[in-house]
Amino acid sequence: MSMELMVKAMKTKVGNPLRKLVLIKLADNANDHGECWPSYQYIADQCEIGKRTVISHIDSLIESGLLTKTIRKGAKGNSSNVYVLNLDAKPVNNGGANAAPPSANVAPPSANVAPPSANAAPGGGANAAPRTSHFLEPVKEPVNSLVVPPKRKKSKRASGVPDEFLVDQRMLDWLAVNQITTDWRTETNNFLDHHRAKGSTMADWVAAWRTWMRNSMKFATGRPPPLHSAKQQVSESLSNIHDTNW
């Protein structure tokens, strides 16, 4: 890198901010003789602009006389561009007719823009400073960016009563926590017989069993007390007959 060339590149008027950025990058890569040989893609990556934009601005710098380009052939048949900076030369056109046109994507000027002042020199005479365009290239989204949707949770399918329905320790602990005191063996058999007879299908048979066990407590509290045995009923009837006054 030549500090002298960097200072000259900063002071040189080229009529376009991106073109000046390319010129500064060439000066950054140049040796004390003003020679450098970076690739188009390298300049584009360093300046964060498109490769075709770099080529266009380098061509404009060559036309203005600030830069010369020669093609160097390698031993293996490959080639590279060799640039020589000539920043002491006076630029030709200085961003005039040969300047790179502004991007087609730039919006036209607003209709509400104030007209030029009446005190300004008409027509922008020969001594008027050249206009500089401050257009930036649109940011392109990466082509390979994909939005991955979240995975759906698979819902359980309903099925018939399993052939082997086992009451494990977790289910027994659940009975104790919920204070269900009915005979779980009898109620489990009733639960399975009932649903097998109906041909029921459930997505969660353990949850259905818990519902059955809760209901068994409700039905148990609402049942009437058991009737006396037949022998007790006969003896009570006989005692009533003997107590009767004829």
Side-chain angles (χ1 to χ4, degrees):
M1 178 181 71
S2 173
M3 292 300 299
E4 182 180 357
L5 287 175
M6 287 287 292
V7 173
K8 289 182 178 180
M10 291 293 295
K11 294 180 178 180
T12 302
K13 302 293 185 181
V14 295
N16 185 284
L18 294 181
R19 191 175 308 143
K20 188 163 188 174
L21 181 61
V22 172
L23 179 64
I24 293 172
K25 184 57 191 171
L26 290 171
D28 178 50
N29 284 84
N31 56 22
D32 293 334
H33 301 289
E35 298 176 345
C36 59
W37 42 89
S39 65
Y40 290 134
Q41 190 60 53
Y42 174 78
I43 299 173
D45 294 339
Q46 294 294 308
C47 296
E48 299 185 19
I49 57 179
K51 180 178 177 181
R52 299 183 66 179
T53 304
V54 171
I55 297 173
S56 174
H57 288 308
I58 286 180
D59 291 342
S60 297
L61 291 172
I62 293 172
E63 291 178 5
S64 65
L66 295 171
L67 187 68
T68 59
K69 180 180 74 171
T70 58
I71 299 176
R72 179 179 59 181
K73 296 290 184 179
K76 297 182 179 180
N78 55 337
S79 61
S80 60
N81 296 331
V82 178
Y83 306 101
V84 178
L85 295 170
N86 185 20
L87 302 183
D88 294 327
K90 187 176 180 180
V92 179
N93 293 330
N94 197 16
N98 295 326
S103 174
N105 295 327
V106 177
S110 173
N112 296 324
V113 176
S117 173
N119 297 325
N127 296 326
R131 293 184 180 181
T132 58
S133 58
H134 299 276
F135 301 117
L136 298 179
E137 290 188 342
V139 179
K140 296 181 180 180
E141 294 293 335
V143 178
N144 296 328
S145 61
L146 298 176
V147 178
V148 180
K151 293 183 179 180
R152 284 187 174 183
K153 293 183 178 179
K154 293 183 179 180
S155 58
K156 294 182 179 179
R157 292 184 179 182
S159 59
V161 181
D163 295 334
E164 294 185 2
F165 185 85
L166 301 178
V167 179
D168 56 17
Q169 187 60 43
R170 290 184 302 174
M171 297 165 71
L172 295 176
D173 294 340
W174 178 86
L175 293 174
V177 171
N178 290 271
Q179 298 181 355
I180 297 177
T181 57
T182 52
D183 185 1
W184 62 268
R185 294 181 179 84
T186 302
E187 293 298 336
T188 300
N189 290 331
N190 293 338
F191 163 75
L192 296 174
D193 291 341
H194 171 79
H195 287 292
R196 281 180 181 139
K198 289 183 63 177
S200 304
T201 57
M202 300 283 180
D204 190 342
W205 279 101
V206 175
W209 175 84
R210 289 197 295 263
T211 303
W212 181 280
M213 297 305 295
R214 289 193 193 97
N215 292 334
S216 69
M217 286 294 294
K218 294 179 183 179
F219 297 148
T221 55
R223 292 172 184 168
L227 298 173
H228 297 292
S229 62
K231 184 176 181 180
Q232 289 177 336
Q233 292 182 17
V234 171
S235 61
E236 289 177 359
S237 299
L238 292 175
S239 62
N240 292 335
I241 292 174
H242 291 297
D243 292 340
T244 302
N245 294 324
W246 297 91

